[in-house]
Amino acid sequence: MKYHITTYGCQMNVADSRRLAAELEQLGYRPTARVDKADVIVINTCVVRQQPEDRAVNRLQNLKPIKEARPEVVIALMGCLVGTRNPEATLRHRYPLADVFMPPSDARPLVQYLAERHGDRLGAEPGCGREQATDRALLLPLHDRGRLVAAHLPVVLGCSHACSYCVIPYRRGPERSRPPGEVLAEARSLAAQGVKEITLLGQIVDRYGMDLPERSSLPTLLRQLHEVDGLERIRFLTSHPNWLTDELLHAVADLPSVCEHIEVPVQSGDDDILRAMRRGYTVQQYRDLVGRIRAIVPGAAVHSDIIVGFPGETEQHFQNTYDLLAELQLDKVHIARYSPRPETLAARQMVDDVPASEKERRRQALDELQAGIVGRINQRYLGQPVQVLVEEQQKGRWRGRTRGNKLVFIEDPRDLSGQLVEVQVAWAGPWSMVGCVA
Ligand code: SAH
């Protein structure tokens, strides 16, 4: 019995797919890279923009010949296309090829479906396939065991913020933190299986614990995780400017295992657009925040996201974003073209009035600006030693990341997998660096 999982979208989906793979293996399934050989096919979907949604739906349609040839194949749709509130009947009507529908972070529907199919009661055991952690799901999939160096660990599920463009709150449900005990148990288990770096995930990860009866917080959690044996590095994302406190920044600065890497999206460099996006801060407040990050956490790598072509974004609004990026000199910026999403305030109340060609022009302009900025930032590392955690071999070179999350390729005949090494940088471009172990 074989399974095949295709994953679209964010790191949260990557983590959800890994957890699902572990659950399927507990049921006796084994992975296959060939979708036509699989007995269970899962598509873990993303709908944050129209493009990934189209990709996932096409992928599903392409399974039609397989399903026709072998009707016993189980096809499961997972993630944000399914959501937490779409009634099963609607989904069945819309996606008749799929047998099972799984909300984000929830393996239960498929595990139960397969258990029933096999005629045993595995799936009905209490706790089995529950959303997030179960003891069984703490095991990594076979392929990753002893091999996976850097893993994602979801700590805040859902989101209650409701930025006007964003569909995530409608698909992943309200914000809920996982209890610290559960997070720590999972981190210890990952470390025991060879994982050296974890990235804590949440839509607004800085809000960790605020909804829990026992009131934890991200700084407290970071301090607890810092004590976990075997964990060399800890990261967290994504931050929201309003919740990234000085206390949190001091925890980053003080805890050696917590990396100087902050992902805090600004989305626009214009106050009118930020207001229409319902982001809850001004450009000046973001500028001050970047200043605070750099003052409290020396050498911090600051990453951001931008949306171009939001409804009503004029050339002047866009220019303000361009000027802000030129000023702030951030280490990485992800630029997306605005895509209206069902249910969101922007889709309901605003006109998508920036033409596609203009969105693309603005995207390219920011991409070019940012490539120049990062190219220059990375030149500073030439001839310098950087600390790299080596993840895996890729095309004959070792691939790893610096504490600031910069990609580094290393030429070395030894087995460096999972090792922390000092690398002398010999070449640096905007997207990666190359070097040798110092
Ligand atoms: N809560 C996280 C993740 C949001 S989704 C955060 O704040 O970053 C990741 C990125 O996708 C967002 O930062 C935003 O830049 C982009 N995005 C979200 N909705 C979008 C939309 N409707 N159109 C285009 N980009 C969008």
Side-chain angles (χ1 to χ4, degrees), residues 1-4 24-32 39 142:
M1 294 192 303
K2 298 257 161 59
Y3 72 89
H4 183 281
L24 292 176
E25 290 178 9
Q26 297 286 316
L27 291 177
Y29 286 85
R30 290 294 170 262
T32 172
D39 305 288
L142 289 167

Side-chain angles (χ1 to χ4, degrees), residues 60-61 81 86 89-97 171:
L60 177 66
Q61 305 308 351
L81 193 66
N86 274 325
T90 313
L91 291 165
R92 283 206 183 287
H93 178 71
R94 213 178 289 162
Y95 309 108
L97 267 181
R171 296 305 173 95

Side-chain angles (χ1 to χ4, degrees), residues 298-318:
V302 182
H303 294 199
S304 197
D305 292 352
I306 296 280
I307 298 175
V308 291
F310 186 81
E313 188 187 69
T314 62
E315 186 58 32
Q316 185 57 54
H317 293 142
F318 169 70

Side-chain angles (χ1 to χ4, degrees), residues 184-422:
L184 285 167
E186 186 163 340
R188 286 194 195 98
S189 160
L190 287 169
Q193 293 171 85
V195 168
K196 301 273 172 30
E197 172 179 312
I198 56 169
T199 302
L200 308 178
L201 300 179
Q203 299 302 334
I204 304 184
V205 70
D206 336 70
R207 285 181 49 86
Y208 175 77
M210 291 184 183
D211 57 318
L212 290 174
E214 63 262 50
R215 293 286 284 200
S216 184
S217 70
L218 190 56
T220 305
L221 185 67
L222 289 174
R223 266 180 230 111
Q224 291 167 321
L225 287 166
H226 179 69
E227 303 297 326
V228 172
D229 275 346
L231 280 188
E232 308 268 9
R233 284 179 174 183
I234 304 166
R235 306 179 191 276
F236 55 88
L237 56 93
T238 305
S239 289
H240 183 286
N242 292 7
W243 304 99
L244 187 53
T245 59
D246 284 1
E247 188 201 353
L248 177 54
L249 291 170
H250 281 294
V252 176
D254 294 346
L255 296 167
S257 61
V258 179
C259 293
E260 304 77 23
H261 164 206
I262 306 287
E263 296 214 13
V264 58
V266 62
Q267 309 297 4
S268 167
D270 183 273
D271 283 339
D272 292 341
I273 298 294
L274 285 178
R275 207 172 305 116
M277 287 177 162
R278 306 273 158 117
R279 287 292 287 177
Y281 53 84
T282 62
V283 174
Q284 187 56 41
Q285 283 168 330
Y286 189 83
R287 193 179 272 126
D288 293 345
L289 171 68
V290 173
R292 273 199 289 130
I293 296 172
R294 289 174 171 161
I296 299 175
V297 188
V302 182
H303 294 199
S304 197
D305 292 352
I306 296 280
I307 298 175
V308 291
F310 186 81
E313 188 187 69
T314 62
E315 186 58 32
Q316 185 57 54
H317 293 142
F318 169 70
Q319 188 63 42
N320 291 341
T321 300
Y322 189 97
D323 293 346
L324 183 71
L325 289 188
E327 173 194 333
L328 292 179
Q329 302 279 304
L330 304 178
D331 287 88
K332 188 172 177 188
V333 179
H334 183 266
I335 299 144
R337 290 162 292 178
Y338 171 71
S339 166
R341 301 284 68 208
E343 298 185 271
T344 60
L345 189 75
R348 284 185 281 121
Q349 297 187 355
M350 303 173 202
V351 182
D352 181 19
D353 55 359
V354 181
S357 57
E358 180 57 18
K359 287 178 186 167
E360 177 56 16
R361 188 191 68 80
R362 293 178 188 181
R363 188 192 67 74
Q364 274 181 21
L366 293 187
D367 251 352
E368 273 165 37
L369 168 70
Q370 197 54 38
I373 291 172
V374 182
R376 279 188 297 279
I377 291 176
N378 288 358
Q379 288 300 306
R380 289 187 216 140
Y381 293 96
L382 270 181
Q384 301 290 319
V386 290
Q387 188 214 62
V388 176
L389 177 61
V390 182
E391 290 175 33
E392 59 185 0
Q393 211 163 21
Q394 195 176 313
K395 294 186 188 146
R397 297 186 299 183
W398 293 101
R399 196 181 68 94
R401 290 182 182 273
T402 66
R403 289 177 64 90
N405 215 35
K406 291 186 186 293
L407 191 59
V408 180
F409 291 100
I410 306 164
E411 283 160 12
D412 200 296
R414 290 167 291 182
D415 180 0
L416 300 181
S417 171
Q419 290 190 37
L420 268 182
V421 290
E422 282 250 310

Side-chain angles (χ1 to χ4, degrees), residues 31-53:
T32 172
R34 288 191 50 182
V35 70
D36 57 325
K37 294 277 183 243
D39 305 288
V40 174
I41 303 171
V42 183
I43 306 177
N44 196 354
T45 59
C46 168
V47 298
V48 77
R49 290 181 304 277
Q50 190 65 48
Q51 207 178 34
E53 175 166 347

